[in-house]
Amino acid sequence: MPLKIIRNSITLLKCDAIVNAANPTLLGGGGVDGAIHKAAGKGLLFECMKLGGCKTGQAKITGGHQLPCKYVIHTVGPKWRGGTNGERELLESCYRESLRLALEYGCSSVAFPLISSGVYGYPKDQALKVAVDSITTFLLEHDMLVYIVVFDRDSFRISEKLFVDIVAFIDDRYVGMDPIFSKTRRDVFDESTVLKTEEIFLPEEEDPAAFPPDFAAKEGKAAVPGSPDLKRGSQRSLEDVLNQEEESFSQALLRKIDEKGMTDSQCYKKANVDRKLFSKIRSNINYHPRKTTAIAFAIALELNLDETKELLLKAGFALSHSNKFDLIIEYFISSGNYNIFEINEALFAFDQELLGV
Ligand code: AR6
């Protein structure tokens, strides 16, 4: 199952467990710890008092009390002392131990703040990298929906060089009428990037706007995803169109997975797509994915630009030079960078929808 990065207060999330960046006493403090204790009420403090503290890099679990989550997993991150005192290993251990506990308690969704990146001074970009690396390593082996919750504007920043490269790439190719960059670098983190709590569990839906539903439904037959005829409503007869045996998105995806010698699970995990959604795609030959899902699979399969466009077309989508999202995807594919988490970091920085679920 996937990793998702969102902006919100962790205290509002309705997932099975939220993780607290605590101190060794487990008796509350400032930052996210203070916010969690405040929202959970005194019952959390009383339960924590019985735990006998916690060592750096370790984790302990309590109930959620008045929070919307079932559990709170308390972990103690390392204090930053220049980076050469085992900080990274200890921080990795925080993620690993918290996830181990989440698994043990049957959690299917867990949310992390950026542990150590506040009072404990771990540089935010490095803290984010450790979080993403540790969680994705875990997700290769386990099914869970994991959120990283970033709270402030500065927590989530792609490197200056990558940002500048992407801007240059877009500037060179953008063919729209309006200036694409009306915002400054700091402004890309405006409030519209904040996902509201209710949005967090929105299921994948077929996108009716992207594909006319009426044709196929009337005849009890599947429309041919990506058929230019369907998209344009051409003069050809309906029968002609329906007789045209074209590979669907689902068929093309499964074929490509085989061609690349991947297993299904390698592919959907690399695509940051959840197993249930993949099963839906697998079992429904005419499944119509969202554009972000289709692209996520192209990235997981490491398709080149032409192959990506071909796969997208099967789902009725194209990559254009008139929107930022498409150009960012093109930038990464052209540079041969298929790391979906890095791509998502960039999409987030440019205020775009993220790939995968
Ligand atoms: N939701 C999500 N993230 C938050 C929230 C929130 N409500 N509030 C803050 N953050 P910190 P640490 C972010 O200082 O560095 C406490 O006093 C914040 O922006 O909470 O591990 C403990 O008792 C930052 O990016 O934790 C310890 O003594 C991240 O959470 C000490 O601080 C972590 O910042 C632990 O320090």
Side-chain angles (χ1 to χ4, degrees):
M1 279 218 212
L3 165 64
K4 219 171 161 171
I5 300 174
I6 53 174
R7 275 187 60 210
N8 213 323
S9 172
I10 204 164
T11 56
L12 300 174
L13 301 192
K14 295 180 210 144
C15 43
D16 290 340
I18 63 168
V19 177
N20 181 18
N23 62 57
T25 68
L26 297 187
L27 299 180
V32 72
D33 194 7
I36 288 174
H37 273 274
K38 187 165 172 224
K42 283 274 174 251
L44 179 63
L45 179 63
F46 295 141
E47 194 180 349
C48 283
M49 287 164 86
K50 297 182 198 143
L51 295 177
C54 180
K55 290 192 180 133
T56 304
Q58 299 296 305
K60 295 205 173 165
I61 192 163
T62 63
H65 298 269
Q66 289 164 29
L67 287 160
C69 57
K70 248 190 269 171
Y71 301 109
V72 180
I73 296 172
H74 307 260
T75 188
V76 182
K79 288 185 184 151
W80 181 256
R81 294 196 178 86
T84 51
N85 295 285
E87 290 92 332
R88 188 186 165 103
E89 290 72 20
L90 284 166
L91 190 52
E92 283 169 352
S93 167
C94 288
Y95 286 98
R96 216 176 27 246
E97 289 302 307
S98 302
L99 288 165
R100 190 185 55 72
L101 267 181
L103 204 61
E104 192 181 318
Y105 279 75
C107 300
S108 52
S109 56
V110 181
F112 282 91
L114 273 187
I115 299 162
S116 284
S117 73
V119 175
Y120 282 178
Y122 211 106
K124 286 192 190 283
D125 54 339
Q126 294 184 48
L128 176 63
K129 182 151 183 20
V130 175
V132 170
D133 289 351
S134 312
I135 294 167
T136 51
T137 302
F138 173 86
L139 289 179
L140 289 177
E141 302 290 328
H142 304 281
D143 269 346
M144 207 180 274
L145 179 53
V146 183
Y147 297 100
I148 297 178
V149 183
V150 294
F151 196 53
D152 51 33
R153 288 171 170 260
D154 293 333
S155 296
F156 204 85
R157 292 202 152 199
I158 56 175
S159 78
E160 200 71 39
K161 179 177 179 314
L162 181 58
F163 189 88
V164 169
D165 279 357
I166 294 175
V167 170
F169 184 90
I170 295 175
D171 275 351
D172 284 351
R173 290 163 183 79
Y174 180 58
V175 293
M177 300 292 284
D178 306 318
I180 200 157
F181 290 112
S182 52
K183 291 175 174 179
T184 64
R185 176 155 170 64
R186 287 203 68 80
D187 290 339
V188 298
F189 295 96
D190 69 11
E191 287 314 303
S192 63
T193 61
V194 180
L195 294 177
K196 302 284 184 298
T197 308
E198 308 79 38
E199 289 172 341
I200 287 174
F201 296 106
L202 272 188
E204 167 93 357
E205 269 172 23
E206 303 197 7
D207 180 356
F211 192 61
D214 47 347
F215 260 43
K218 275 187 215 144
E219 292 293 304
K221 290 192 183 179
V224 183
S227 162
D229 300 297
L230 286 186
K231 297 297 288 177
R232 276 192 259 112
S234 80
Q235 308 296 315
R236 292 176 61 198
S237 76
L238 176 58
E239 203 181 348
D240 283 351
V241 174
L242 293 171
N243 284 339
Q244 185 184 317
E245 294 243 340
E246 201 176 305
E247 192 185 35
S248 70
F249 172 81
S250 163
Q251 289 170 316
L253 174 64
L254 298 176
R255 174 175 59 79
K256 294 247 176 230
I257 292 174
D258 287 346
E259 282 171 10
K260 295 276 171 182
M262 293 174 98
T263 62
D264 289 354
S265 74
Q266 279 168 337
C267 184
Y268 67 71
K269 281 178 182 166
K270 205 165 157 211
N272 198 32
V273 162
D274 125 303
R275 181 166 50 86
K276 283 193 204 121
L277 172 58
F278 183 82
S279 310
K280 269 204 230 167
I281 299 175
R282 183 174 241 306
S283 58
N284 177 0
I285 189 179
N286 296 309
Y287 186 85
H288 184 63
R290 288 161 54 149
K291 186 170 178 180
T292 46
T293 305
I295 293 178
F297 281 114
I299 297 294
L301 291 160
E302 305 199 354
L303 303 184
N304 66 28
L305 204 52
D306 286 341
E307 292 169 328
T308 301
K309 286 178 180 166
E310 202 185 309
L311 183 67
L312 285 181
L313 200 59
K314 309 245 178 231
F317 300 115
L319 284 182
S320 95
H321 277 190
S322 56
N323 83 64
K324 233 194 283 188
F325 175 88
D326 289 0
L327 281 162
I328 293 170
I329 297 303
E330 192 173 323
Y331 168 84
F332 278 94
I333 293 176
S334 312
S335 350
N337 182 346
Y338 292 100
N339 183 327
I340 202 155
F341 300 104
E342 278 179 31
I343 299 173
N344 274 345
E345 284 175 27
L347 288 169
F348 191 93
F350 283 90
D351 200 10
Q352 302 297 306
E353 209 180 331
L354 307 188
L355 301 183
V357 173

